[in-house]
Amino acid sequence: MSHSLWHPYAQMQTQAAALKVIGGKGAHFTLESGEQLLDATCSWWCMIHGYAHPRLVSAIQKQADTLCHVMLGGLTHEPADLLSKALVRVTPPGLNHVFFSDSGSVGMEVAMKMAVQYQVQRGRKGKYRMLSLMKAYHGDTAGCMAVCDPEEGMHSLFSGFLPTHHFAPAPTAPFDATRDEVEADIKRLRDVLEAHHHEIAGLLMEPLLQAAGGLNMTSPYYVEAARALCDEFGVLLIFDEVATGFGRTGKMFAADHANVTPDIMVLSKGLTGGYLGHAATLATDEVFDAFLSEDPHHAFMHGPTFMGNPLACRVALESLAVFEEENYLDKIASLNAILRQELVEDTDLKAHPAVRDVRALGATAVIEVHDETSLEDVQAFARERGVWLRSFGRWLYTMPAYVTLDDEMRLITTTMKEWFLSAHHPLPAE
Ligand code: PMP
């Protein structure tokens, strides 16, 4: 077989041929054969409006007629100007400055570089490392790989190549934990900061939901405490809201659950409704001002070719307009009610011997199993029912498009449940 197209995260020798998608509409995509699959993952969590949304498609088409691209070096244009203002408006108060780039990973690289240069220019010597959390995933570029979970992340092979950072244990208290129940997690974070703050530029976290690390959910109290600890130890708080941003956790941003403003925040995925690759790294005045000087070397020396691409900015503006005009937070709340009722509150599912935990937050739910072999073939099982599910490791999850209809959401949850509860799935050996 010729393999001119090298697929991501794929063993090209053994993997079955990828399914060919020719189009899509709403929460479904269509294969070459005409088969339609309900996308339970909204394409790595970015297609929040589903496929072929007429307003998003038309925004790109109109912009394409005017200006497809121009660099931001010494130039600007309306879509980038408007989008920066819109992002300042919708993000937590105080994030007043927006630096664009082309993907979530690059947005995170920008955030880390910004944090280090901030500390240098504020005269705080030796703060060159990051503090990250176990179970974290921040992207696949070198800088990002170095702040992913070093054991369970997929990058341990590169340990000799990557810079070393500090890690605190992943939070364990659930989303609805009491303040007291979160204390032990906070203490573990404090311990690392106490020991190493003099060399830490920034604390990175995916607030409330560590996504690719296994949909590990935690409490807003943890996020709130992280803010206080960063202030105490002179460390910048950096939120990676690449996956959590734009409603995924039930509020516009995960930060909103804790009323916290991070010093730096990164957005991507849902930013453009998934229609074009783009990212935004936002910063507070305090961070931005550290780059203002008579010295040209104090400028932020970064500039991806495609930053602020007009097509991406225009579709992001339209995505945000649809989100707000069509009350997406209400849609997300309805999806959440179904996810809770059908998965979290299903006592048979929770009691199944293969199942370790079932949890939901906003428009996300996961069935975590004890052993990943119990998820083998779930993809084929779901496909027979018209659903596209793609589990990873021990996690069978859904992150649907927000336009997913109630019945469609139920088809996804029923499929996930049936995999365990129907006769198709053998119980694990004792
Ligand atoms: N951060 C988080 C939290 C992510 O989930 C991802 C992508 N799954 C990234 C960063 C990297 O984004 P990208 O794939 O666009 O580089």
Side-chain angles (χ1 to χ4, degrees):
M1 202 197 295
S2 114
H3 283 310
S4 53
L5 177 56
W6 195 338
H7 281 267
Y9 309 120
Q11 176 42 264
M12 296 301 291
Q13 182 168 313
T14 53
Q15 166 165 296
L19 306 180
K20 190 161 185 185
V21 178
I22 55 161
K25 189 102 199 106
H28 288 84
F29 57 74
T30 311
L31 303 183
E32 209 174 15
S33 60
E35 181 182 345
Q36 297 206 346
L37 289 174
L38 173 58
D39 187 355
T41 68
C42 81
S43 260
W44 278 332
W45 330 331
C46 67
M47 300 296 288
I48 60 175
H49 305 277
Y51 297 89
H53 192 291
R55 284 182 60 178
L56 272 66
V57 171
S58 140
I60 296 174
Q61 284 169 340
K62 271 206 211 134
Q63 182 60 41
D65 282 342
T66 317
L67 175 69
C68 282
H69 187 63
V70 69
M71 66 174 176
L72 278 194
L75 302 170
T76 192
H77 51 79
E78 185 180 80
D81 285 337
L82 290 179
L83 183 60
S84 63
K85 289 192 178 71
L87 292 178
V88 167
R89 175 176 64 78
V90 296
T91 51
L95 290 165
N96 292 333
H97 310 277
V98 184
F99 194 95
F100 289 118
S101 61
D102 25 31
S103 69
S105 300
V106 178
M108 283 303 296
E109 296 279 352
V110 166
M112 291 189 269
K113 195 166 156 182
M114 214 178 245
V116 167
Q117 192 171 342
Y118 164 88
Q119 299 289 7
V120 170
Q121 287 174 192
R122 282 281 182 246
R124 303 198 193 120
K125 299 249 157 34
K127 282 175 163 285
Y128 291 113
R129 290 183 206 278
M130 297 293 142
L131 170 57
S132 185
L133 302 178
M134 298 303 280
K135 298 195 181 178
Y137 175 83
H138 295 293
D140 289 347
T141 55
C144 290
M145 285 197 287
V147 288
C148 291
D149 185 312
E151 289 160 15
E152 291 216 14
M154 28 191 171
H155 307 128
S156 52
L157 157 74
F158 298 95
S159 58
F161 162 68
L162 300 174
T164 51
H165 295 286
H166 293 286
F167 284 85
T172 56
F175 176 76
D176 55 2
T178 62
R179 199 179 276 273
D180 282 353
E181 286 163 347
V182 187
E183 280 310 314
D185 287 334
I186 297 170
K187 168 80 170 56
R188 288 191 275 269
L189 188 56
R190 165 179 284 282
D191 288 347
V192 184
L193 279 164
E194 250 167 21
H196 302 291
H197 65 93
H198 52 278
E199 50 182 48
I200 295 173
L203 164 60
L204 310 168
M205 63 170 67
E206 297 154 89
L208 294 188
L209 174 68
Q210 293 183 295
L215 296 112
N216 186 38
M217 297 167 190
T218 191
S219 152
Y221 292 127
Y222 184 78
V223 174
E224 193 187 273
R227 174 70 279 175
L229 286 170
C230 282
D231 291 341
E232 183 180 338
F233 289 105
V235 165
L236 292 183
L237 180 61
I238 302 171
F239 281 173
D240 176 348
E241 294 233 22
V242 168
T244 53
F246 301 100
R248 186 55 66 186
T249 65
K251 296 210 183 223
M252 191 63 162
F253 299 102
D256 298 339
H257 288 270
N259 287 323
V260 158
T261 299
D263 300 289
I264 298 176
M265 178 157 138
V266 183
L267 305 173
S268 187
K269 295 195 188 277
L271 171 67
T272 59
Y275 280 50
L276 283 165
H278 223 62
T281 303
L282 287 97
T284 58
D285 292 346
E286 168 60 23
V287 172
F288 181 79
D289 289 353
F291 292 77
L292 304 179
S293 148
E294 296 300 315
D295 184 344
H297 294 110
H298 286 181
F300 188 47
M301 299 306 280
H302 204 94
T305 306
F306 296 111
M307 71 180 290
N309 171 265
L311 298 170
C313 290
R314 197 60 91 182
V315 75
L317 283 163
E318 195 63 14
S319 169
L320 194 56
V322 173
F323 195 106
E324 292 182 320
E325 287 162 27
E326 298 186 11
N327 300 320
Y328 267 41
L329 291 179
D330 293 348
K331 288 191 208 285
I332 293 162
S334 308
L335 294 174
N336 180 262
I338 298 174
L339 293 171
R340 298 200 145 271
Q341 190 183 40
E342 299 293 326
L343 295 177
V344 180
E345 287 158 20
D346 187 305
T347 45
D348 291 341
L349 180 63
K350 277 213 156 156
H352 191 280
V355 173
R356 185 170 172 180
D357 191 26
V358 184
R359 46 190 185 270
L361 178 63
T364 306
V366 60
I367 303 174
E368 179 173 347
V369 297
H370 291 287
D371 179 344
E372 64 184 270
T373 55
S374 30
L375 295 177
E376 262 168 31
D377 298 330
V378 66
Q379 190 163 336
F381 174 88
R383 188 174 165 197
E384 280 167 25
R385 284 151 186 79
V387 177
W388 174 250
L389 275 176
R390 194 175 141 98
S391 64
F392 63 95
R394 291 186 285 104
W395 299 279
L396 178 63
Y397 76 96
T398 178
M399 287 212 199
Y402 305 148
V403 297
T404 304
L405 304 173
D406 288 1
D407 284 351
E408 293 170 339
M409 189 73 263
R410 285 208 176 80
L411 177 60
I412 292 171
T413 53
T414 305
T415 305
M416 290 170 75
K417 261 196 309 204
E418 272 187 3
W419 169 251
F420 295 98
L421 302 179
S422 78
H424 288 84
H425 183 250
L427 289 176
E430 285 300 307

